[in-house]
Amino acid sequence: MAYFDKDIETAPRERLREIQLSRLQKSVTQALKIPFYRDRLNENGISSGEQIKDLSDIRKIPFTTKDDLRASFPEGLLAVSKDEVVRLHTSSGTTGTPTVICHTKNDLNAWAGLVARSMVASGATKSDVFQNMTGYGMFTGGLGMHYGAELVGMTILPMGSGNTRRQLEYMKYFKTTIVHATPSYMLHIATKLEEAQISLSDLCLKKGFLGAEPYSENTRIKIENLFKIDVYNSYGLSEMNGPGVAFECEYKNGMHLWEDAFYLEIIDPETGEPVAEGNSGELVFTTLMREATPLLRYRCRDIASILAGECPCGRTHRRISRITGRADDMLIVNGVNIFPGQIESVIMRHPEVGTNYQILLENKGELEKLTVNIEISAAAFSGDIHSLDRLKAELAEDIKGAVIVRPEVKLHEPGSLPVTEGKAVRVIDNRIRI
Ligand code: AMP
Ligand code: ZN
């Protein structure tokens, strides 16, 4: 078993907690340099990092929300002088004011270290050829993964997103062994292999680092089968640097969350109270190593749980489950609560289902209508009309079983539904609310 930083990755829990406490004190001290946090903390009786005597004292600190961050646009929450800032990123959210996170040189080095650690945990080495297929702009996935891969010593193809044909050709020419992409893009390029006249045997692919958007275990299996690779879940958010927050090791059994860099709490999004051990809830992060923009108890809205038990890889940092949704992406259809991920999970179980789907919501008289548009595989598409009818009925039944609402299922030809280069847009909500 290879490690990038064995000492810290396998540190006994007791020692990890000591490191967390001293770093938490430093983060509070750092945050007190920002007027926003100084006021907030002072109002709650905290005027120095030393007042945090125990990790449980973190609960004396109020939460930070996305709106707090947005309110600081464009300056951001800055604890160092502007001269110390060497880069800034904004969140990739398509609506509303973006959030700004600034980084010092040390911040960027620490971030690259976390990503390198994540990649090595999956079994990556400097012999790998790494094709980075996500955007290299403000989106943190591109540069974040790039500098981590460089630290591991891999050969990087800094492709950026899009241009699928070239992605596939370069994969072949340069004998790419690891790709980084969103799961939806990976599904998309699978449909383009034939067109690019490339077969799996032309490629040397071994691993895929997939993240930046939610996907189900069934989608992982589908992608692993399509490309004959191992897929590792990669989780991050720009407010916590980007990638390198939590990542799967060779055992692919949940994502190790790097607890020396992030202090994690899981709360009930309604009450703000901690959930019972093992239950799922909203992830709340406190940065433990950041200089420019320390964030305390940041409510990120992603929903997940901590997995029980130790991982056979020897890493002591706890593992989190897949992100099952966001506290704010729940759909309410005819009064019933639905998470889009529930739909994905049941449809991807069917081998006849292809690589893309979309959920459409509309008004229908006084009610609301749920339509699920599903691409089917080339093989299923050439099948007879009766089997397609049967498939449609089965999918509708399965979706209803998962979300209670009966959907209309529409089957589509492979490659006919719209594709996005970045994060997939799975839900089109055309409902008019009066
Ligand atoms: P951004 O900061 O704009 O890059 O977006 C970060 C968000 O993307 C997170 O808060 C999650 O909602 C989502 N995300 C990132 N990685 C994953 C993943 N592996 N699984 C599910 N959602 C993810
Ligand atoms: Zn592990």
Side-chain angles (χ1 to χ4, degrees):
M1 179 66 56
Y3 302 95
F4 181 74
D5 189 346
K6 184 167 185 196
D7 183 46
I8 196 76
E9 289 173 55
T10 61
R13 295 289 310 167
E14 192 52 33
R15 200 176 132 233
L16 256 183
R17 273 191 289 272
E18 281 163 23
I19 294 172
Q20 286 187 315
L21 178 60
S22 73
R23 291 187 178 172
L24 175 60
Q25 291 167 339
K26 275 197 202 148
S27 281
V28 172
T29 305
Q30 193 70 358
L32 282 162
K33 297 177 187 163
I34 306 170
F36 162 80
Y37 271 128
R38 190 167 49 237
D39 295 348
R40 273 273 171 99
L41 291 166
N42 287 350
E43 275 165 27
N44 287 271
I46 300 168
S47 53
S48 125
E50 254 80 278
Q51 280 171 266
I52 306 292
K53 301 243 180 284
D54 186 272
L55 283 171
S56 62
D57 288 339
I58 198 166
R59 295 190 60 193
K60 295 177 184 160
I61 302 171
F63 293 119
T64 306
T65 64
K66 210 172 182 94
D67 285 338
D68 292 329
L69 269 184
R70 284 182 170 143
S72 73
F73 186 85
E75 288 79 17
L77 301 176
L78 199 55
V80 298
S81 88
K82 281 190 177 161
D83 290 354
E84 302 299 311
V85 175
V86 294
R87 197 198 303 162
L88 68 82
H89 279 281
T90 57
S91 63
S92 60
T94 44
T95 53
T97 314
T99 57
V100 182
I101 301 294
C102 298
H103 298 277
T104 64
K105 192 81 204 137
N106 286 338
D107 288 336
L108 291 185
N109 288 341
W111 178 12
L114 293 170
V115 175
R117 187 197 283 186
S118 304
M119 291 174 164
V120 171
S122 81
T125 70
K126 67 193 193 118
S127 310
D128 279 301
V129 178
F130 178 68
Q131 187 160 333
N132 200 7
M133 305 198 286
T134 56
Y136 265 77
M138 296 308 273
F139 174 61
T140 53
L143 288 170
M145 294 296 266
H146 181 99
Y147 286 111
E150 204 168 273
L151 205 52
V152 177
M154 295 189 232
T155 306
I156 305 171
L157 306 184
M159 304 291 292
S161 63
N163 205 339
T164 302
R165 194 183 188 99
R166 193 170 63 147
Q167 298 279 9
L168 287 169
E169 286 167 358
Y170 276 31
M171 236 176 245
K172 177 178 161 183
Y173 298 147
F174 297 107
K175 300 189 167 47
T176 300
T177 56
I178 305 181
V179 287
H180 172 229
T182 56
S184 54
Y185 188 64
M186 209 55 194
L187 284 168
H188 171 65
I189 63 173
T191 65
K192 298 290 171 189
L193 279 163
E194 206 177 291
E195 205 177 300
Q197 294 181 322
I198 288 176
S199 70
L200 284 189
S201 58
D202 295 328
L203 306 179
C204 303
L205 277 191
K206 290 188 304 197
K207 298 183 195 331
F209 297 154
L210 305 190
E213 64 187 13
Y215 60 117
S216 62
E217 196 56 37
N218 290 327
T219 300
R220 182 216 307 255
I221 295 166
K222 183 166 211 107
I223 296 172
E224 291 192 329
N225 291 336
L226 283 169
F227 289 95
K228 305 277 177 283
I229 56 172
D230 284 301
V231 166
Y232 300 84
N233 196 2
S234 159
Y235 171 70
L237 56 156
S238 51
E239 293 86 351
M240 296 296 128
N241 304 336
V245 175
F247 209 94
E248 283 184 321
C249 70
E250 284 178 68
Y251 290 91
K252 301 194 295 188
N253 55 0
M255 300 180 281
H256 287 282
L257 181 110
W258 302 125
E259 295 186 86
D260 57 322
F262 307 101
Y263 184 81
L264 172 70
E265 299 167 84
I266 302 193
I267 61 164
D268 177 332
E270 300 293 326
T271 63
E273 290 300 313
V275 298
E277 216 175 299
N279 283 7
S280 69
E282 179 178 351
L283 306 181
V284 176
F285 290 110
T286 298
T287 61
L288 296 175
M289 290 168 78
R290 240 178 19 205
E291 294 178 342
T293 307
L295 290 183
L296 306 179
R297 305 193 84 201
Y298 178 68
R299 288 186 64 159
C300 79
R301 302 181 185 178
D302 291 330
I303 306 285
S305 61
I306 292 179
L307 302 176
E310 288 168 14
C311 184
C313 76
R315 290 178 181 80
T316 49
H317 300 237
R318 287 173 304 171
R319 289 162 299 135
I320 57 168
S321 68
R322 275 182 190 286
I323 308 298
T324 53
R326 291 172 64 86
D328 50 3
D329 73 1
M330 189 178 75
L331 306 167
I332 304 180
V333 183
N334 293 326
V336 178
N337 299 348
I338 296 178
F339 283 98
Q342 295 174 295
I343 296 181
E344 173 178 318
S345 188
V346 295
I347 65 176
M348 287 299 176
R349 236 176 6 219
H350 291 260
E352 301 89 345
V353 167
T355 53
N356 202 356
Y357 72 96
Q358 200 167 57
I359 297 165
L360 174 69
L361 297 170
E362 295 162 305
N363 298 94
K364 190 184 174 193
E366 296 300 300
L367 291 175
E368 295 170 320
K369 184 178 169 201
L370 168 70
T371 305
V372 187
N373 288 303
I374 304 174
E375 275 185 19
I376 53 176
S377 67
F381 193 71
S382 54
D384 70 279
I385 192 86
H386 297 297
S387 51
L388 288 182
D389 276 347
R390 210 168 33 240
L391 175 63
K392 210 158 109 166
E394 266 174 36
L395 285 166
E397 202 49 45
D398 274 10
I399 294 169
K400 179 170 179 280
V403 304
I404 309 177
V405 176
R406 177 173 289 283
E408 176 176 3
V409 168
K410 288 187 182 160
L411 301 181
H412 297 261
E413 197 179 335
S416 57
L417 292 177
V419 196
T420 36
E421 276 178 6
K423 296 175 193 249
V425 180
R426 296 295 191 199
V427 180
I428 309 288
D429 193 342
N430 287 339
R431 290 175 294 183
I432 301 160
R433 289 188 190 78
I434 308 140

